[in-house]
Amino acid sequence: FLLSLKLENKTKGRLQKQICQVVLDHFEKQYTTELGDTWTSVRDVLTCPLYWQYAVLLNKFSQSAELENTLHVKGYHPAFQGPLPYLPASLKCYIRRTPGRFPAQKHQAGKLKEYYLLNAASLLPVLALEVKDGEDVLDLCAAPGGKSVAILQCAYPGQFHCNEYDDLRSRWLKQTIESFIPDPLINLITVSELDGREIGNLKSELYDKVLVDAPCSNDRSWLFSSDIQQATHRLIQRKALSSLQFQLLRSAIKALRPGGLLVYSTCTLSKAENSDVINLVLNSYSNVVPVDISEMAKAVSQEFTFLSGLQQHELLVLPEKGRAWGPMYVAKLKKMSS
């Protein structure tokens, strides 16, 4: 009992991270305007790590029946059930209503991990992408690699190009792929460190599906910036993010084959980085059209809370107690033949 008390205090200490007041004040102003009363309940979850939840994404390449039994015993259930337009049987993700984190697995050279811990909402862009066997896929901003790993749980692409511009994050991405993907399959995957804004020119019309999980204001982690100067700097730079996101989308559209699909996602609530960027794309391109994802949203509405009033080609997951997933914005577009 004393041991468990000790452990509990240790995790409490870890969870009582300091809220960065500068960031909170900034969010308070912006999100009260954009989300109205909804912001209060979202803020309660974002500022209190004790409410946070983690999903367990199983790795089909290193399956263990024992793990699934353990998860059932601990009260976990499959995150995705019901009439989803796209849900490969090989994609298995477990969640439970109570907060807390399943123990993480350490990286061991030559040994595949059995599961990946993530925010369950980050699988929604992957489900929206609907990758099928043999398709050529680009993950434009792929680090740390959770979505790349999830795509490979769903299907075997013809070619899979994972790109990450940032050197440190790129190393993290490579390690994630090595930890989850077995040898022969790794040969389908190209990992590059290109500037995402240039890929469209370098790889014009080469892909059937492109995922742009864009660099964004990460609401969850920014709230706990320990360095006030860094936080202030981030908030100043925040205005430039939507321009970067638009340039990445422009590059992704070039990289898509006519008829190809693009999914854009962020982990921020910010309208400037979400709907505004997608509207700009739709207004700038006559050959890019929105794709309805409301069926998918409806099918998972038991487990996720969505902001109401968005268009049918977009969704925004709002964290709430007992369903502390998100923030996660997802939008889906199609490139027509020009």
Side-chain angles (χ1 to χ4, degrees), residues 280-336:
L280 184 58
V281 168
L282 290 169
N283 292 330
S284 309
Y285 286 88
S286 55
N287 64 332
V288 173
V289 297
V291 179
D292 189 342
I293 52 172
S294 58
E295 280 303 305
M296 176 181 86
K298 207 160 54 207
V300 296
S301 59
Q302 281 296 298
E303 303 293 355
F304 298 94
T305 306
F306 297 107
L307 179 68
S308 57
L310 292 185
Q311 315 260 345
Q312 288 186 310
H313 61 274
E314 55 178 357
L315 57 85
L316 178 60
V317 179
L318 301 173
E320 61 171 40
K321 286 177 205 172
R323 302 197 283 189
W325 313 115
M328 179 60 57
Y329 174 81
V330 184
K332 186 169 179 176
L333 306 172
K334 182 175 184 170
K335 179 179 182 175
M336 311 303 279

Side-chain angles (χ1 to χ4, degrees), residues 131-137 155-160 187-189 208:
V131 175
K132 306 197 175 42
D133 288 350
E135 289 182 327
D136 297 325
V137 181
Y156 296 98
Q159 295 182 52
F160 191 21
N187 303 332
L188 298 178
I189 307 168
D208 303 298

